[in-house]
Amino acid sequence: MKTVSPYSASITGGGFLFNETNALLPLLLDENAAELIKEEVLNNNILHINSEKSRKRNVSEIKRRFEALPRTFWYDYMEMSEEDKRIALFFVLLKTYKILFDFHANVAMRRWRSASQDISIDDLMMEFNSISAKDEFVDSWSDATKKKVASAYLSILRHVNMLDSDDRLQALRDYIKQYMSQIKKFHFHDTGRTSPFTGESNIVNDSYFLYSKGDNLAAFLYGIMIKYPMVYKRIVSVIQSVAPFFHDFYLVPNENGGVRLQWKDKFSEVIYGPNELSDGTIRFIALTVLFMQPDLPKVIVIDEPELGLHPVAIEKLAGLIKMAANRGTQVIAATQNAELISNFQPEDILTVDQREGQSQIHRLNADELSQWLNDYTLGDLWKQRIMKGGQPV
């Protein structure tokens, strides 16, 4: 089965498009966006781009970027200063085009941490070699296409003054590095007898943040129990709402400060370990701790969090995700579960499809689905192929 590539070279069709985005944004936010955009492509009232073909291409790229973030972001964007808008649009590009994100994370940030601050086409072409070795679609691009993509990235850096070396730029780079360092990816798929949950972790060295696979869940929970007892009690309460037999954790460090994930049953004196829990229950415990922890990451990326969960637990999971989002964390969850998406609003959902070798992202529109949502859930509409996107073709 052919793997869908997350990469696209479409950035070469537009570039930064700062003025064009600002001009088109009021139309995109309008309730009659589709009609207004179509009219603009035909009449060229705002963009002032002579070629209709170029207008279509630029409008397509701006729409792609617009759909990569929620409408609330764009309302905030419109209130920003011009300088802040440039930085915000730069972040939009990193979110929209994976190739730009890889360039920035793997080339620019590494160069900026080194003695040499310069970034060249050759540096980016070397990164292309690494990507091509893992992605057949990128490997099929011609050298000319790769150089166009690399040049587009360098041009974008110039638009946001990131190829200069003044103090303000360094502060900006530091801010970007700090922000990107707070993007955390998690997956708790492994729940076997030798899974990360079964090991010992240290109550000092392993207590600062939750590891991506839950290796330090016991030490991290212990730290919450000691420093934030009310949060700990709420975590236990949520777990009990899904696993009524669960009484409490048994987190007792040994003489070396090591602690294991152990727990007590309401109806037994035996101390149990993680292997005595079902796959779904141990995953739900990890998810509960992740989303209820006192200091949430800025961005949480998690793959198929619903795996092995009871339908009631899936509903609870959706509530935990919403709670984390209300606390200011952006949660990006990849799922193929109809029950999970049924707990969210259409504008919360992005679908991803492969079209002509490219990944296309589409944000659901509540107005387009309003006639159905009184009688059906989003999951129903997805399974019945009424919902656009996210369908095998």
Side-chain angles (χ1 to χ4, degrees):
M1 183 176 180
K2 187 175 181 180
T3 303
V4 177
S5 174
Y7 294 98
S8 165
S10 62
I11 185 63
T12 60
F16 195 50
L17 296 178
F18 179 68
N19 293 327
E20 295 85 350
T21 298
N22 293 337
L24 210 60
L25 189 54
L27 304 188
L28 289 167
L29 289 170
D30 194 278
E31 60 182 10
N32 298 314
E35 181 179 336
L36 293 172
I37 294 298
K38 183 178 180 181
E39 181 181 336
E40 174 57 26
V41 170
L42 291 175
N43 299 327
N44 197 27
N45 295 322
I46 297 174
L47 293 176
H48 304 302
I49 300 172
N50 292 331
S51 165
E52 183 175 338
K53 182 178 179 181
S54 295
R55 286 200 302 277
K56 286 182 178 179
R57 184 172 61 243
N58 286 356
V59 166
S60 176
E61 290 309 307
I62 292 171
K63 286 176 63 178
R64 178 199 295 261
R65 301 168 190 185
F66 177 79
E67 292 172 354
L69 283 102
R71 295 173 72 89
T72 51
F73 168 87
W74 294 109
Y75 287 123
D76 291 339
Y77 175 92
M78 293 189 69
E79 301 300 320
M80 296 178 185
S81 67
E82 180 170 329
E83 183 176 1
D84 287 345
K85 282 182 178 178
R86 288 183 180 275
I87 300 305
L89 187 56
F90 176 69
F91 276 113
V92 173
L93 297 181
L94 295 185
K95 287 179 65 65
T96 307
Y97 305 98
K98 180 168 171 52
I99 192 69
L100 298 189
F101 181 90
D102 285 1
F103 281 165
H104 204 68
N106 300 332
V107 180
M109 292 181 65
R110 288 180 181 176
R111 297 289 287 180
W112 291 340
R113 286 195 294 264
S114 68
S116 174
Q117 301 286 304
D118 296 331
I119 304 170
S120 69
I121 290 283
D122 290 340
D123 296 324
L124 301 176
M125 292 302 287
M126 289 180 65
E127 176 63 15
F128 260 127
N129 291 338
S130 299
I131 297 171
S132 296
K134 298 177 288 187
D135 192 287
E136 292 182 5
F137 177 59
V138 175
D139 190 44
S140 70
W141 296 358
S142 67
D143 285 345
T145 297
K146 292 177 180 178
K147 287 181 179 178
K148 285 182 181 179
V149 173
S151 296
Y153 172 69
L154 293 177
S155 175
I156 289 166
L157 290 186
R158 293 187 186 96
H159 275 289
V160 290
N161 297 321
M162 289 191 184
L163 288 183
D164 299 330
S165 57
D166 57 17
D167 292 340
R168 182 178 61 82
L169 175 58
Q170 188 58 48
L172 178 60
R173 289 171 176 165
D174 291 342
Y175 170 78
I176 292 172
K177 285 190 287 186
Q178 180 185 17
Y179 183 88
M180 293 185 71
S181 71
Q182 295 181 76
I183 300 175
K184 304 297 182 184
K185 180 180 178 181
F186 298 89
H187 73 85
F188 305 129
H189 297 174
D190 185 0
T191 55
R193 299 200 66 82
T194 59
S195 76
F197 301 113
T198 62
E200 181 181 287
S201 50
N202 187 276
I203 61 172
V204 176
N205 298 335
D206 298 317
S207 65
Y208 299 107
F209 55 87
L210 184 61
Y211 298 164
S212 61
K213 297 180 182 179
D215 313 48
N216 67 329
L217 184 58
F220 189 66
L221 253 177
Y222 180 84
I224 294 174
M225 180 179 69
I226 299 300
K227 298 176 183 177
Y228 306 96
M230 292 303 297
V231 175
Y232 176 82
K233 289 180 180 178
R234 288 196 291 269
I235 288 172
V236 170
S237 179
V238 170
I239 294 168
Q240 290 172 338
S241 70
V242 169
F245 59 86
F246 182 86
H247 176 61
D248 199 352
F249 293 101
Y250 185 79
L251 304 172
V252 180
N254 59 32
E255 59 183 11
N256 297 318
V259 63
R260 294 184 180 275
L261 188 65
Q262 296 177 295
W263 58 281
K264 295 181 286 186
D265 189 296
K266 286 183 178 179
F267 310 104
S268 173
E269 296 180 349
V270 177
I271 305 299
Y272 296 100
N275 288 330
E276 281 70 49
L277 292 166
S278 69
D279 292 350
T281 302
I282 187 63
R283 287 194 189 106
F284 185 78
I285 288 173
L287 291 164
T288 302
V289 175
L290 170 62
F291 291 118
M292 294 187 69
Q293 62 180 293
D295 298 314
L296 283 165
K298 290 290 186 183
V299 181
I300 291 174
V301 180
I302 187 160
D303 183 37
E304 297 187 316
E306 77 286 346
L307 282 181
L309 297 190
H310 186 279
V312 172
I314 291 176
E315 185 176 354
K316 293 282 185 179
L317 169 62
L320 291 172
I321 292 173
K322 293 175 185 177
M323 183 174 65
N326 289 336
R327 292 170 59 193
T329 290
Q330 183 178 19
V331 180
I332 303 172
T335 183
Q336 299 183 65
N337 186 274
E339 291 182 31
L340 181 59
I341 69 168
S342 293
N343 288 277
F344 293 92
Q345 298 301 313
E347 55 269 21
D348 297 325
I349 307 299
L350 296 171
T351 62
V352 183
D353 296 277
Q354 186 187 36
R355 296 288 186 270
E356 298 179 355
Q358 297 183 8
S359 295
Q360 295 188 356
I361 300 175
H362 172 76
R363 184 179 295 277
L364 298 188
N365 187 309
D367 294 335
E368 294 176 355
L369 300 172
S370 59
Q371 62 178 319
W372 301 98
L373 290 175
N374 289 331
D375 300 313
Y376 299 96
T377 67
L378 278 178
D380 294 332
L381 301 184
W382 187 19
K383 288 187 286 188
Q384 295 174 32
R385 297 193 173 213
I386 295 170
M387 191 176 85
K388 290 183 179 179
Q391 304 289 355
V393 293

